[in-house]
Amino acid sequence: MSETIRIEVKVIEVIGDTKYLLINDEKINKFELLALASKISNEDKKTAWEVLKLASMLYHPEDDFAFNELYGAVAMDITRKSIEREWDIYSRFDKKIKKLFGPNARVIKKKNGPRHIPDRWVSIEGNIMPVEIKLHKFDKRALSQLKRYMDFYNCTHGIAVAKSLDVKLPENITFISTDELKE
């Protein structure tokens, strides 16, 4: 059974201009509303956009230069936080390692050569292998990179991680789709 949360919102206007909101009797001005959208975006992008939409409806008609500039900055910040980067995949891979490869699998630290730095190292029952992670597709260039690591470190197996596979992999390289890493 879900719990219903009641939130009361009042818009306080003075001679046609919105001055602030009262949310459950707490006063929130236009700049605090922008700050709230930015803070919420760390956890919930959809709600952050809804708060920003509310701020726009209430305050853009005032044509306040400072508000408009800060509104744009917050919108850019939420957009930036919404863009997945390659290193965002690293922690998801780390969390799923045992589910993907069994209870003895673990991400390890290993000393790397200065020009041969895989994204991760994995140990499975003493077998150490490099991991190469790509944001979109694992292609011929990424395969060449992973094979270079395997050759340099004398590894018999490697792991390729990406959204999609765009090249035929040899049998000693395991492909993991980033879709498998989602919660």
Side-chain angles (χ1 to χ4, degrees), residues 7-20:
I7 298 174
E8 185 177 359
V9 178
K10 294 179 185 174
V11 177
I12 307 301
E13 291 185 10
V14 177
I15 311 172
D17 283 342
T18 302
K19 292 300 178 192
Y20 56 88

Side-chain angles (χ1 to χ4, degrees), residues 25-46:
D25 293 324
E26 187 173 329
K27 204 175 186 182
I28 296 179
N29 69 32
K30 57 185 154 189
F31 300 111
E32 291 167 329
L33 194 58
L34 293 176
L36 179 63
S38 180
K39 184 175 182 176
I40 290 171
S41 71
N42 292 321
E43 301 297 324
D44 184 349
K45 309 298 182 280
K46 184 178 180 206

Side-chain angles (χ1 to χ4, degrees), residues 65-78:
F65 174 78
F67 171 82
N68 293 344
E69 289 298 310
L70 291 173
Y71 177 93
V74 171
M76 290 296 293
D77 184 51
I78 296 170

Side-chain angles (χ1 to χ4, degrees), residues 160-178:
V161 179
K163 177 80 175 157
S164 64
L165 186 58
D166 200 34
V167 65
K168 183 169 173 40
L169 296 178
E171 288 185 24
N172 63 338
I173 295 179
T174 302
F175 176 72
I176 304 295
S177 168
T178 53

